[in-house]
Amino acid sequence: GVVAGRASTTDHSSAHSGATPDEGRCLMTPPSSARGGLGPLDEYPIHQVPQPIGWPGPSDRHFYDRCYFNAHDRTGDIFVISGMGYYPNLRTKDAFFLVTRGDQQTAVHLGGEIDDDRLDQRVGGYRLEVIEPLQKIRMVLEETEGLAADLTWEGSFEVVQEQRHVMRQGTRVTLDAQRFAQVGTWSGSLSVDGEEIAVDPDTWVGTRDRSWGIRPVGEAEPAGRPADFDGMWWLYVPMRFEDYAIVVIMQEDGDGIRTLNDCTRVWKDGRVEQLGWPQVTIRYTPGGRTPTGATLECATRQGPLRIEVESRLAVPLHFGGGYGGDQDWLHGQWHGESFVERRTYDLTSDAVRSMFMFGCVDHVGRAVVHENGTETEGFGLFEHFSVGRHEPSGFTDFFSVAP
């Protein structure tokens, strides 16, 4: 038996059942040290379940805790996307740093064994320093395969707690996540193959998020019966304006039934507005599904609000970013201790173009808000994909494209 979390040294079952000494008894793997899975955060009254902070509540192998950042200078000449993830039930952690300029996309990937010190967020030469929680973060990539960076994030407005996001395939939960998002500015420098690039907060902006929960990560599991999935439409538009931030997140199924709708405006004085149930029109490149822009018809208590969004640079996250559909590297996979690699992609190649519409694409986004006869310009992220069927867009299967 197990008493107060300790394995009993007395076997009470074998004498009566004929079992061998090791049967009928709960065996526990001895800890590698006296402190077991305890880390620095276990000193604080923040526990939610009766186990160390480093041990997630659910035992689902897909539990994750990950952050995402992007940065650009508004021009569409360059887009930097980066992130770090912890996967305690897979015993791994990893990070990526991706730079897209023109038609070339380069990423470095880093991975290794997870540790118990969540206050020291690092994978190889990549690390994050929380200078001021929910406001100021430093990101450092020591020179790795030709890429390096020392960047500091400053939130322009308060973080936005998004709605809890849940998805199922049949009866199984495939996504159950909480996320917060923020828009802000960047300062510092980055280096690409010896070329130094200054990052000035007067021009460099971006968005970030942190999410945690359950989502597909790591090596693929046996599929079982094929899933009943025929389409998913996704739109994520966090934008930074001078006096406010707007964060729009929407998801629809193949019939156009909206399963997630979270549209918020946050003002500098802390006021929060809900922007209703936006009607969205995506403008696609003919012969494909890569958007050039979008129109979002929103509503406030005072009247209509229209957002016109345009793409200035498209970055497919499934080429080097590790998101769904990436054939080279996926979040949470084990590649060995101190893993490092570099991947470079030609975005004009047939291999990339043919797969563009089968994954999530992030865009350097410019937005103009039309409200009460005024126009307000902002910049941020325009993220969209429509995979499979989406009747409102005229996509009838996985291979149909815009006229």
Side-chain angles (χ1 to χ4, degrees), residues 109-112 123-124 328-329 334-341 343:
H109 305 136
L110 308 94
V123 182
D328 296 321
W329 181 81
W334 175 248
H335 295 282
E337 190 56 59
S338 303
F339 171 77
V340 175
E341 71 169 7
R343 299 270 184 172

Side-chain angles (χ1 to χ4, degrees), residues 11-87:
D11 182 0
H12 299 286
S13 60
S14 59
H16 303 286
S17 65
T20 61
D22 282 342
E23 293 176 337
R25 182 172 66 190
C26 178
L27 297 179
M28 299 180 64
T29 302
S32 58
S33 68
R35 66 182 180 89
L38 299 174
L41 284 172
D42 288 297
E43 285 282 15
Y44 299 90
I46 56 177
H47 298 84
Q48 304 298 311
V49 293
Q51 57 194 33
I53 285 293
W55 298 1
S59 60
D60 193 311
R61 70 189 299 272
H62 294 131
F63 187 88
Y64 79 103
D65 198 331
R66 187 164 71 212
C67 57
Y68 161 97
F69 299 88
N70 65 60
H72 61 78
D73 64 359
R74 314 184 193 203
T75 64
D77 294 334
I78 185 171
F79 203 7
V80 177
I81 299 176
S82 184
M84 172 188 281
Y86 281 72
Y87 318 94

Side-chain angles (χ1 to χ4, degrees), residues 265 272-276 298-305 371:
R265 175 160 60 174
V272 177
E273 279 185 287
Q274 292 183 319
L275 301 181
C298 307
T300 70
R301 292 183 182 275
Q302 290 71 42
L305 181 152
E371 183 181 23

Side-chain angles (χ1 to χ4, degrees), residues 4-265:
R6 298 185 301 275
S8 170
T9 57
T10 303
D11 182 0
H12 299 286
S13 60
S14 59
H16 303 286
S17 65
T20 61
D22 282 342
E23 293 176 337
R25 182 172 66 190
C26 178
L27 297 179
M28 299 180 64
T29 302
S32 58
S33 68
R35 66 182 180 89
L38 299 174
L41 284 172
D42 288 297
E43 285 282 15
Y44 299 90
I46 56 177
H47 298 84
Q48 304 298 311
V49 293
Q51 57 194 33
I53 285 293
W55 298 1
S59 60
D60 193 311
R61 70 189 299 272
H62 294 131
F63 187 88
Y64 79 103
D65 198 331
R66 187 164 71 212
C67 57
Y68 161 97
F69 299 88
N70 65 60
H72 61 78
D73 64 359
R74 314 184 193 203
T75 64
D77 294 334
I78 185 171
F79 203 7
V80 177
I81 299 176
S82 184
M84 172 188 281
Y86 281 72
Y87 318 94
N89 291 335
L90 297 175
R91 301 179 301 282
T92 65
K93 60 180 179 179
D94 55 33
F96 73 95
F97 193 90
L98 183 152
V99 179
T100 303
R101 294 196 294 176
D103 295 325
Q104 181 170 289
Q105 185 158 305
T106 299
V108 294
H109 305 136
L110 308 94
E113 182 181 0
I114 201 169
D115 57 80
D116 298 321
D117 189 356
R118 300 298 193 271
L119 290 175
D120 183 18
Q121 300 180 68
R122 68 174 66 225
V123 182
Y126 183 101
R127 72 179 186 272
L128 295 175
E129 301 172 7
V130 179
I131 299 172
E132 181 181 347
L134 307 181
Q135 181 62 30
K136 193 171 186 178
I137 309 290
R138 183 186 179 204
M139 175 197 301
V140 176
L141 174 65
E142 299 171 2
E143 196 284 323
T144 303
E145 301 290 328
L147 299 185
D150 190 341
L151 302 171
T152 298
W153 165 270
E154 184 81 33
S156 299
F157 305 92
E158 288 188 351
V159 298
V160 174
Q161 179 181 336
E162 298 175 3
Q163 294 178 16
R164 187 167 175 174
H165 192 184
V166 179
M167 294 178 62
R168 292 179 181 271
Q169 285 187 353
T171 60
R172 183 177 183 182
V173 173
T174 56
L175 178 70
D176 184 357
Q178 177 65 67
R179 179 164 63 184
F180 67 77
Q182 189 176 42
V183 303
T185 61
W186 290 96
S187 61
S189 64
L190 63 100
S191 176
V192 180
D193 295 326
E195 179 185 351
E196 296 293 326
I197 301 172
V199 176
D200 187 335
D202 289 337
T203 55
W204 280 76
V205 297
T207 70
R208 74 169 181 122
D209 66 64
R210 173 172 285 281
S211 65
W212 58 95
I214 305 297
R215 71 184 294 167
V217 293
E219 290 73 17
E221 293 182 296
R225 177 184 176 275
D228 296 322
F229 174 82
D230 70 345
M232 176 179 168
W233 180 97
W234 172 263
L235 181 67
Y236 183 50
V237 185
M239 289 284 175
R240 177 186 181 274
F241 301 86
E242 186 65 28
D243 297 320
Y244 54 80
I246 290 179
V247 179
V248 176
I249 178 170
M250 290 183 284
Q251 180 179 321
E252 295 180 358
D253 65 14
D255 292 318
I257 301 300
R258 194 165 296 177
T259 56
L260 181 65
N261 186 90
D262 194 357
C263 309
T264 305
R265 175 160 60 174

